[in-house]
Coordinates of all heavy atoms in Angstrom, one line a residue:
P1 N -2.7 4.4 -4.8 CA -3.8 3.9 -4.0 C -4.1 2.4 -4.3 O -4.4 1.6 -3.4 CB -5.0 4.8 -4.5 CG -4.3 6.1 -4.9 CD -3.0 5.7 -5.5
A2 N -4.0 2.0 -5.6 CA -4.2 0.6 -5.9 C -3.1 -0.3 -5.2 O -3.4 -1.4 -4.8 CB -4.2 0.4 -7.4
Q3 N -1.9 0.2 -5.2 CA -0.8 -0.5 -4.5 C -1.1 -0.7 -3.0 O -0.9 -1.8 -2.5 CB 0.5 0.2 -4.7 CG 1.1 0.2 -6.1 CD 2.3 1.1 -6.2 OE1 2.3 2.3 -6.3 NE2 3.5 0.4 -6.2
I4 N -1.5 0.3 -2.4 CA -1.9 0.2 -1.0 C -3.0 -0.8 -0.7 O -2.9 -1.6 0.1 CB -2.3 1.6 -0.4 CG1 -1.0 2.5 -0.4 CG2 -2.9 1.5 0.9 CD1 -1.3 4.0 -0.2
D5 N -4.0 -0.7 -1.6 CA -5.2 -1.6 -1.4 C -4.8 -3.0 -1.6 O -5.2 -3.9 -0.9 CB -6.3 -1.2 -2.4 CG -6.9 0.1 -2.1 OD1 -6.6 0.7 -1.1 OD2 -7.8 0.5 -2.8
R6 N -3.9 -3.3 -2.6 CA -3.4 -4.6 -2.8 C -2.6 -5.2 -1.6 O -2.8 -6.3 -1.2 CB -2.5 -4.7 -4.1 CG -2.1 -6.1 -4.5 CD -1.1 -6.1 -5.6 NE 0.2 -5.9 -5.2 CZ 1.1 -6.9 -4.8 NH1 0.6 -8.1 -4.8 NH2 2.3 -6.6 -4.5
L7 N -1.8 -4.4 -1.1 CA -1.0 -4.8 0.1 C -1.8 -5.2 1.3 O -1.6 -6.2 1.9 CB 0.0 -3.7 0.5 CG 1.4 -3.7 -0.2 CD1 2.4 -2.9 0.6 CD2 2.0 -5.1 -0.3
I8 N -2.8 -4.3 1.6 CA -3.7 -4.6 2.7 C -4.4 -5.9 2.5 O -4.6 -6.7 3.4 CB -4.6 -3.4 2.9 CG1 -3.8 -2.1 3.4 CG2 -5.7 -3.7 4.0 CD1 -4.7 -0.9 3.4
R9 N -4.9 -6.1 1.3 CA -5.7 -7.3 1.0 C -4.8 -8.5 1.2 O -5.2 -9.5 1.8 CB -6.2 -7.3 -0.4 CG -6.9 -8.6 -0.8 CD -7.5 -8.6 -2.2 NE -7.8 -9.9 -2.6 CZ -8.9 -10.6 -2.2 NH1 -9.7 -10.0 -1.3 NH2 -9.1 -11.8 -2.6
E10 N -3.6 -8.5 0.6 CA -2.7 -9.6 0.7 C -2.3 -9.9 2.1 O -2.2 -11.1 2.6 CB -1.4 -9.4 -0.2 CG -1.7 -9.4 -1.7 CD -2.4 -10.6 -2.2 OE1 -2.0 -11.7 -1.8 OE2 -3.4 -10.5 -2.9
C11 N -2.1 -8.9 2.9 CA -1.7 -9.0 4.3 C -2.8 -9.8 5.1 O -2.5 -10.7 5.8 CB -1.5 -7.6 4.9 SG -1.0 -7.6 6.7
I12 N -4.1 -9.4 4.9 CA -5.2 -10.0 5.6 C -5.6 -11.3 5.1 O -5.7 -12.3 5.8 CB -6.4 -9.0 5.6 CG1 -6.0 -7.8 6.5 CG2 -7.6 -9.7 6.2 CD1 -7.1 -6.7 6.5
V13 N -5.7 -11.4 3.8 CA -6.1 -12.7 3.2 C -5.1 -13.8 3.4 O -5.5 -15.0 3.7 CB -6.5 -12.5 1.7 CG1 -6.7 -13.9 1.0 CG2 -7.7 -11.6 1.5
Q14 N -3.8 -13.5 3.2 CA -2.8 -14.5 3.4 C -2.3 -14.7 4.8 O -1.6 -15.6 5.1 CB -1.6 -14.2 2.5 CG -1.9 -14.3 1.0 CD -0.6 -14.4 0.2 OE1 0.2 -15.2 0.4 NE2 -0.5 -13.5 -0.9
S15 N -2.7 -13.7 5.7 CA -2.3 -13.7 7.1 C -0.8 -13.8 7.2 O -0.2 -14.7 7.9 CB -3.0 -14.9 7.8 OG -2.8 -14.8 9.2
R16 N -0.1 -12.9 6.5 CA 1.3 -12.8 6.6 C 1.7 -11.4 6.4 O 1.0 -10.6 5.9 CB 2.0 -13.8 5.5 CG 2.1 -15.2 6.0 CD 3.2 -15.9 5.3 NE 3.7 -17.1 6.0 CZ 3.4 -18.4 5.7 NH1 2.5 -18.6 4.7 NH2 3.9 -19.3 6.4
P17 N 3.0 -11.1 6.7 CA 3.4 -9.7 6.6 C 3.6 -9.2 5.2 O 3.9 -10.0 4.3 CB 4.7 -9.6 7.4 CG 5.2 -11.1 7.4 CD 4.0 -11.9 7.4
V18 N 3.5 -7.9 5.0 CA 3.7 -7.2 3.7 C 4.6 -6.0 4.0 O 4.8 -5.6 5.1 CB 2.4 -6.8 3.0 CG1 1.6 -8.0 2.7 CG2 1.6 -5.8 3.9
Y19 N 5.2 -5.5 2.9 CA 6.3 -4.5 3.1 C 6.0 -3.3 2.1 O 5.7 -3.5 0.9 CB 7.6 -5.1 2.7 CG 8.8 -4.2 2.6 CD1 9.5 -3.9 3.8 CD2 9.3 -3.8 1.4 CE1 10.7 -3.1 3.7 CE2 10.5 -3.1 1.3 CZ 11.2 -2.7 2.5 OH 12.3 -2.0 2.4
L20 N 5.9 -2.1 2.7 CA 5.6 -0.9 1.9 C 6.6 0.2 2.1 O 6.9 0.6 3.2 CB 4.2 -0.4 2.4 CG 3.7 0.9 1.7 CD1 3.4 0.7 0.2 CD2 2.4 1.4 2.4
Q21 N 7.2 0.7 1.0 CA 8.1 1.8 1.0 C 7.4 3.1 0.6 O 6.7 3.1 -0.4 CB 9.2 1.6 0.1 CG 10.2 0.4 0.4 CD 11.2 0.1 -0.6 OE1 10.8 -0.4 -1.7 NE2 12.4 0.4 -0.4
V22 N 7.6 4.1 1.4 CA 7.0 5.4 1.1 C 8.2 6.5 1.0 O 8.7 6.9 2.1 CB 6.0 5.9 2.2 CG1 5.3 7.2 1.7 CG2 5.0 4.8 2.4
P23 N 8.6 6.9 -0.2 CA 9.7 7.9 -0.3 C 9.2 9.2 0.4 O 8.0 9.6 0.4 CB 9.8 8.0 -1.8 CG 9.4 6.7 -2.4 CD 8.3 6.3 -1.5
A24 N 10.2 9.9 0.9 CA 9.9 11.1 1.7 C 9.1 12.2 0.9 O 8.3 12.9 1.4 CB 11.2 11.7 2.3
D25 N 9.4 12.2 -0.4 CA 8.8 13.2 -1.3 C 7.4 12.8 -1.8 O 6.8 13.5 -2.5 CB 9.7 13.7 -2.4 CG 10.1 12.5 -3.3 OD1 10.3 11.4 -2.8 OD2 10.2 12.7 -4.5
M26 N 7.0 11.5 -1.4 CA 5.7 11.0 -1.8 C 4.6 11.2 -0.7 O 3.4 11.1 -1.0 CB 5.8 9.5 -2.2 CG 6.4 9.3 -3.5 SD 5.4 9.8 -4.9 CE 4.0 8.7 -4.8
I27 N 5.1 11.6 0.4 CA 4.1 11.6 1.6 C 3.0 12.6 1.4 O 1.8 12.3 1.7 CB 4.9 12.0 2.9 CG1 5.8 10.9 3.3 CG2 4.0 12.4 4.0 CD1 6.8 11.2 4.4
T28 N 3.2 13.7 0.8 CA 2.2 14.7 0.6 C 1.7 14.8 -0.9 O 1.0 15.7 -1.2 CB 2.7 16.1 1.0 OG1 3.8 16.5 0.2 CG2 3.0 16.2 2.5
E29 N 2.1 13.8 -1.7 CA 1.6 13.8 -3.1 C 0.1 13.7 -3.1 O -0.5 12.8 -2.3 CB 2.2 12.7 -3.8 CG 3.6 12.9 -4.3 CD 3.7 14.0 -5.4 OE1 3.2 13.8 -6.5 OE2 4.2 15.1 -5.1
P30 N -0.7 14.4 -3.9 CA -2.1 14.3 -4.0 C -2.6 13.0 -4.7 O -2.0 12.6 -5.7 CB -2.5 15.5 -4.7 CG -1.4 15.9 -5.6 CD -0.1 15.5 -4.8
V31 N -3.6 12.4 -4.1 CA -4.3 11.3 -4.8 C -5.8 11.6 -4.7 O -6.3 12.3 -3.9 CB -4.0 9.9 -4.1 CG1 -2.5 9.7 -4.1 CG2 -4.5 9.9 -2.7
P32 N -6.6 11.0 -5.6 CA -8.0 11.2 -5.7 C -8.7 10.8 -4.4 O -8.6 9.6 -4.0 CB -8.5 10.4 -6.9 CG -7.3 10.1 -7.7 CD -6.1 10.1 -6.7
A33 N -9.4 11.7 -3.7 CA -10.1 11.4 -2.5 C -11.2 10.4 -2.8 O -11.6 9.6 -1.9 CB -10.7 12.7 -1.9
A34 N -11.7 10.4 -4.0 CA -12.8 9.5 -4.4 C -12.5 8.0 -4.2 O -13.3 7.2 -4.1 CB -13.3 9.8 -5.8
A35 N -11.1 7.8 -4.3 CA -10.7 6.4 -4.2 C -11.1 5.8 -2.8 O -11.3 4.6 -2.7 CB -9.2 6.3 -4.4

């Protein structure tokens, strides 16, 4: 979650593209909804 948040911030604040890899076995991994 922190990695995702950082990427979105850098994308918008710097107004340039960012790159995110999501391994196939990470797609359904649980993360805290509270985030």
